[in-house]
Every structure is written in structure tokens, then in C-alpha cells.
Amino acid sequence: MIKTFAKEVDAGLDAPKKSLPSRYFYDKKGDEIFVRIMNMPEYYLTNAELEIFNCQTPELIKSFGMNGEHFEVVELGAGDGVKVVKLLKQLVGHNFTYTPIDISINAIEKLKNRLLGEIPGLDFEGQQGEYFDVLDSLKAVGKKVILFLGSNIGNLTDSRAHEFMVKISESMNSHDKLLIGFDLKKNPAVIKNAYNDPHGYTRDFNLNLLCRINRELGGDFIIHKFKHSPEYNNDTGAALSYLESLEEQTVHINATGKSYKFRKGERIHTEISRKYDLETIHKIAKDTGLIVKKTFFDSRKYFIDVLFEKD
Ligand code: AVJ
């Protein structure tokens, strides 16, 4: 694990255009900061999707089209369970197993405790793994509903998202369903405020990546010599996060045994949080052998959960 981390950091910092994978935001401290982000009013995504789950769960469940046969609810990325618990509670009485998949065994255990506390008797079958890898094993699952919530898909580049959707599509049979949460394009000011919040939580979240490299890989980043620098392009829908070097400097990392030079103003790309429109979502479906069966918006139309089926 450490080895992969060091390799990816080296590849990212050695490139002419520097980058670091956003996946590494989520260590213990990063998880904590992310909870703070989700709880701040500027980060509208959480509340928007929660509103959908609070108000439209009966319609959601109806759209799954289950007929009494056993099915699996497979969730990619376990999350904290706040949204899915709304759904699972109303599914009680149906013949189903809940299978969250997450890279962190810790996240799965936490979720298990929480859900079994709220839904006694829930058939819970957590699975650890990187969800890109786990998709192949999904083919063998009988009837299923796959959940990919919270705009996690937005962290993938368009080509990676395409690959991912193709894999999911290949794992689905004709009666299976796929529910994906997408963040929608909207007034750019609203988006900018969510990714450059006045509390500084998103800044801390982004800079924690450098702290983590210092802690786990023996780096000597001087954190205050970098600045959180997000930008949003409404045409492409890409909200991008960068860390900008405030001066010319050299950083050494023990685990890679190398030093990395930074020019003043040079940026490390750390995250994409893609915003979509309906046209793009329909195109994704068409390109990956799926059809859009039903859409669920929040009242402000900031966010959408889309139910897909095999074409
Ligand atoms: C968890 C990937 C949905 O991209 O909006 C929040 C992570 N990054 N603020 C997102 C995040 C900065 C978040 N996702």
C-alpha cells in the first residue's frame, strides 16, 4: 500500500504537469475534514441528494421493479450510510442483501455497526476492494441494484468514467438497475463557493494531501508555502483543485529517494469534481449500452440521481 502511494506520488510529481491522485485525500484526518465539508451549508451536494432520499424513496424503490425475488443492493464506495439508510429502511420486508464495497475495511465496519443499530436483521455483506476491480465479480451476482451515490463519479476524468460505466454495464443483466448521483451544472458562483469555502475546510482538505506525504512517505513539504487554488469551467463542467507553489522551492521525499523542484506559481493538480448536464448523462448512457429509465431531482435541481437499465 505504502509502495503504491510512493510510486503514484513520484509519477505525479515527476511529470511536466504535476498531479496527485485525489484518492489519497481520505486518510483519518482527511475523512474528518470531509465530514466537516459535508456538514457546511456551502457544500450543497450532500443536502441535495439527502433531500432526494428523504422525499422520493417510495418512487425510487418502485423504479427498482422488484417482484419478490431476492436481490442485492450493491453500493460502490460505502460512504457514511446517512443516505442509504433512508432507502434500506423502506426496503425492509423485501428479500434483499445489502453489499457495500469500499477500499477501507474500517469504513465498512463502521457502516455495519451503524446500519445494524438502525435496521436490526439487515442482511449485510460488506466487501473490501477497489471498486474498479470488484466490478468483474459483480457479473455473477443474481438480480441487483448498483448504487454509486454522492457524485463520486465526478472524481473520474471523462475517459475513466466511460471505462467505469462500460464495466458496470457489462456486469448488468437485463433486469438489473444502476442508480448514480451526479452533481449538475448550475450558477458557477454556487459551485465555486462549495469548493473554496469561507471556513477553509476545503483548503485544509487539499493541503492535507501534502501533510499525508510528509507523515507517511517522509516528505518535507512546508505546507504554508502552498496555496489551495480551485477553478471552475462552466463549459466543460470541470471543477479542478490545485495546490500552487508560492515560491521557487525543492521538496524531498524519503520514500521515493528523490527531490522535486517547484517554480513559483507552479501547480499540482489534485482533483476533478465533474459537473454534468442531462445531455451529457444521456450521451454516457448511449455510449455504454445503458438507457436512462428515470430521473430524480432535488427541488433546486442542483443534483440528480439517475436510474439506468441495460439497453
Ligand atoms: C466525495 C468526490 C463527491 O468531489 O465533491 C469535496 C470530494 N472535494 N470537496 C466532491 C470533495 C472537495 C467530493 N466527492
Side-chain angles (χ1 to χ4, degrees), residues 26 34 37 43 45 150-152 155 195 202 205 271 273 275:
Y26 304 92
F34 186 58
I37 289 175
Y43 193 71
L45 289 81
S151 194
N152 281 321
N155 274 178
Y195 291 90
T202 314
F205 185 62
E271 189 183 38
S273 299
K275 310 304 165 198

Side-chain angles (χ1 to χ4, degrees), residues 14-267:
D14 214 16
K17 282 198 165 193
K18 293 184 170 61
S19 68
L20 291 168
S22 58
R23 197 168 60 256
Y24 293 109
F25 282 145
Y26 304 92
D27 66 348
K28 194 164 173 291
K29 185 161 164 235
D31 283 346
E32 277 167 26
I33 304 173
F34 186 58
V35 170
R36 258 181 273 148
I37 289 175
M38 284 195 294
N39 287 331
M40 67 184 190
E42 292 81 6
Y43 193 71
Y44 59 84
L45 289 81
T46 316
N47 282 334
E49 196 176 35
L50 188 58
E51 185 201 309
I52 296 171
F53 276 79
N54 271 327
C55 304
Q56 300 182 63
T57 299
E59 289 79 9
L60 267 170
I61 291 175
K62 218 181 283 161
S63 73
F64 295 166
M66 293 309 167
N67 55 8
E69 246 179 274
H70 177 267
F71 63 99
E72 274 195 32
V73 176
V74 179
E75 182 165 17
L76 305 177
D80 60 4
V82 175
K83 280 168 284 202
V84 84
V85 74
K86 312 269 173 198
L87 180 70
L88 298 178
K89 271 189 176 163
Q90 293 193 37
L91 278 175
V92 169
H94 285 79
N95 183 9
F96 75 101
T97 305
Y98 173 59
T99 312
I101 297 170
D102 202 280
I103 184 116
S104 149
I105 190 77
N106 204 27
I108 294 176
E109 282 307 311
K110 257 175 136 170
L111 182 65
K112 183 171 184 175
N113 289 333
R114 166 167 203 163
L115 289 182
L116 286 179
E118 290 199 47
I119 311 172
L122 174 70
D123 186 10
F124 185 107
E125 289 274 352
Q127 201 181 324
Q128 190 204 3
E130 170 95 73
Y131 39 68
F132 242 94
D133 303 333
V134 169
L135 289 177
D136 287 326
S137 67
L138 286 183
K139 259 184 208 151
V141 175
K143 217 171 165 180
K144 60 189 172 289
V145 177
I146 301 170
L147 308 177
F148 193 38
L149 307 177
S151 194
N152 281 321
I153 192 168
N155 274 178
L156 305 177
T157 60
D158 282 3
S159 68
R160 203 66 182 139
H162 174 82
E163 275 175 53
F164 187 64
M165 294 287 288
V166 166
K167 269 204 153 187
I168 297 185
S169 176
E170 284 172 349
S171 83
M172 289 168 69
N173 302 306
S174 58
H175 293 290
D176 293 342
K177 304 283 187 273
L178 167 66
L179 186 71
I180 299 188
F182 296 89
D183 194 20
L184 294 172
K185 285 186 178 176
K186 58 184 67 62
N187 180 349
V190 173
I191 293 171
K192 286 182 182 160
N193 215 24
Y195 291 90
N196 198 12
D197 65 90
H199 319 281
Y201 297 152
T202 314
R203 174 199 65 210
D204 294 347
F205 185 62
N206 201 9
L207 285 168
N208 180 50
L209 203 46
L210 303 185
C211 303
R212 183 173 182 184
I213 293 173
N214 284 351
R215 283 193 294 270
E216 294 184 21
L217 302 180
D220 65 0
F221 278 103
I222 299 170
I223 305 305
H224 68 257
K225 289 190 179 176
F226 288 85
K227 176 179 119 183
H228 170 57
S229 160
E231 62 183 42
Y232 176 60
N233 180 329
N234 194 49
D235 295 325
T236 60
L240 303 173
S241 279
Y242 294 94
L243 290 165
E244 181 182 328
S245 176
L246 292 172
E247 53 188 73
E248 188 179 313
Q249 53 183 319
T250 301
V251 172
H252 183 79
I253 300 176
N254 286 334
T256 67
K258 277 163 70 174
S259 293
Y260 307 89
K261 280 199 176 133
F262 292 85
R263 296 184 307 273
K264 181 177 179 180
E266 185 175 357
R267 300 188 303 176

